[in-house]
Amino acid sequence: MRTCVRLRYCGGMTVELRRRIFRHYAETGSPPELPRAKLEELATQHAVVLDAAGHIAFANPFATGPAALTVTTDERTFSAVCAWDALGILALLRADGSATDADGLSLEIRDGQLAATSLRFHVLVPAARWYDDLRFT
Amino acid sequence: MRLFRDEEHIANVYDKPGASCSAAQLWTLAQRWYGDRLEPDWTPHTRERMQADLAAAGLNGAFWELV
């Protein structure tokens, strides 16, 4: 019941903080500065993943760059930890753009549609275990 | 969670099965899962909503079952 517990603990303050984080990433490509106690609380709830220095490494779908994928729109560049998140950034921005990984494999959204591609998206960890270790997942 | 050129590419990298989907399925999922996160009244999706998002992208079965 991990997912249910995780969601139950996302109270009003946490949700507003998460909205603020998403807005900041969307507007700047980077996370906001937040008090360490707040960040640790969000991390406990799996709302963010922190790096070794205690800063936000990622708050899905956004990541603090550099990360596995680069998302490019007409206005800005973003980072994402996986292709699902990379397309998620373009979806929430309602923006056309591309998502490219370190091997140069790229997905493109044009006029709100996915450009034809034969690329496949592979998931190693079953959904039931996604939240056991978000960084590995 | 990685992109691959095709199923052969996946098989060359992983000996564990995992699961894969097309980029079109992934785009459907990404829009449903993340598309509302900048809306002022966004709240986290319920488990039922997330499972429905996976199903809407054609991702069904035990591998895609959230707990």
Side-chain angles (χ1 to χ4, degrees):
Chain A
M1 301 299 286
R2 283 183 297 274
T3 302
C4 297
V5 170
R6 182 178 65 90
L7 295 172
R8 193 178 305 134
Y9 288 169
C10 286
M13 182 73 76
T14 297
V15 171
E16 185 47 44
L17 272 176
R18 294 184 69 186
R19 291 175 183 148
R20 179 177 164 191
I21 291 169
F22 297 144
R23 285 196 301 269
H24 198 278
Y25 266 115
E27 292 166 2
T28 69
S30 60
E33 292 291 332
L34 292 172
R36 190 178 189 92
K38 292 291 184 189
L39 290 175
E40 290 174 352
E41 180 182 339
L42 289 169
T44 299
Q45 298 168 4
H46 300 294
V48 302
V49 172
L50 304 180
D51 63 20
H55 301 124
I56 297 176
F58 56 94
N60 307 88
F62 294 102
T64 304
L69 280 97
T70 300
V71 179
T72 304
T73 69
D74 285 344
E75 296 190 359
R76 202 174 307 286
T77 297
F78 303 91
S79 296
V81 295
C82 73
W84 180 359
D85 284 0
L87 291 184
I89 290 171
L90 294 172
L92 66 79
L93 293 173
R94 311 277 197 272
D96 287 353
S98 63
T100 306
D101 72 10
D103 295 325
L105 300 179
S106 187
L107 299 170
E108 288 191 36
I109 303 301
R110 301 180 196 142
D111 298 325
Q113 304 294 319
L114 179 74
T117 178
S118 60
L119 293 184
R120 302 285 298 177
F121 178 68
H122 181 265
V123 179
L124 189 61
V125 178
R129 290 170 38 211
W130 284 349
Y131 295 100
D132 291 356
D133 183 347
L134 277 173
R135 195 178 292 272
F136 178 75
T137 296
Chain B
M1 295 184 177
R2 286 182 51 192
L3 285 175
F4 289 87
R5 288 189 297 277
D6 48 36
E7 289 294 331
E8 183 180 359
H9 187 193
I10 295 171
N12 288 339
V13 174
Y14 291 120
D15 54 8
K16 296 179 182 177
S20 68
C21 69
S22 69
Q25 287 176 286
L26 187 63
W27 176 230
T28 296
L29 179 61
Q31 291 176 92
R32 293 183 58 102
W33 197 279
Y34 289 126
D36 62 348
R37 292 216 174 183
L38 287 183
E39 293 179 7
D41 58 350
W42 172 82
T43 56
H45 295 173
T46 63
R47 177 209 170 278
E48 289 74 21
R49 163 62 193 269
M50 294 189 289
Q51 197 68 63
D53 291 345
L54 290 162
L59 303 175
N60 299 295
F63 185 90
W64 302 103
E65 191 72 30
L66 297 162
V67 292

